[in-house]
Structure formats: structure tokens, C-alpha cells
Amino acid sequence: QGLKPLAPTESPHPIFGTSKPAPGLPASHPSLSTNKVPDLQKIFQRSDGLPVHLKRGYPDRMLYRTTMALTIGGTIYCLIALYIASQPKNQ
């Protein structure tokens, strides 16, 4: 009799490189209508002196500032916690 194969012998459908929409998406889904890559390439390849993570304007600046504030606040909190932990307990 032999052993039965654990994996199916048929190859799965390819995910990339298909021109047909996925079975669950309607043909008029907004993400299928336009290619945004050329527009984003124009934005990110512009030589305006800004770093890549700040090129898209106000939302990127707010995300960057929030991340930096949380990082600095967390560092200060850790230093305070280490200082408190290093002090001997009073008896």
C-alpha cells in the first residue's frame, strides 16, 4: 500500500503575477483601479533635502515627533526606575 503523501500533489494558485482580481474582491475595488507607485516614486525621489521618513508632510512629522517623544520619555522613565531601584531600602 505505501504511505499517503502529506501535502497535496496539486500546486497552489499563484498569488503574484495574476491579472484577475482575487475571488473575494469585486472587480471595481479601488485598490485595483490605479497604480500609486509612480506617484510615490516622484514624492520620495524629489531632492528637497528632507529625509525619506518625513517626505509625505504633516502626518509623517507628527508620527516622527510622537515616536521621539515616547522614546525620550521611556528613556527618562527607565533611568528614574533604575535610580530608585539602586537606593537601599530603609528599615
Side-chain angles (χ1 to χ4, degrees):
Q1 286 181 339
L3 298 175
K4 293 181 181 178
L6 295 176
T9 56
E10 297 177 10
S11 62
H13 297 289
I15 296 172
F16 302 107
T18 59
S19 59
K20 296 178 183 177
L25 293 176
S28 63
H29 195 270
S31 66
L32 298 176
S33 62
T34 60
N35 185 5
K36 297 179 184 178
V37 173
D39 298 332
L40 292 175
Q41 283 178 341
K42 288 177 187 175
I43 292 172
F44 289 120
Q45 291 178 353
R46 193 178 332 141
S47 61
D48 53 4
L50 287 174
V52 170
H53 59 274
L54 295 176
K55 290 248 183 194
R56 292 183 71 188
Y58 184 74
D60 283 349
R61 283 191 304 239
M62 291 307 299
L63 182 62
Y64 177 75
R65 289 177 183 168
T66 303
T67 303
M68 290 305 295
L70 289 171
T71 302
I72 292 170
T75 302
I76 292 171
Y77 179 76
C78 287
L79 291 174
I80 291 171
L82 283 172
Y83 176 75
I84 292 171
S86 69
Q87 299 301 315
K89 292 184 178 181
N90 294 332
Q91 291 184 353

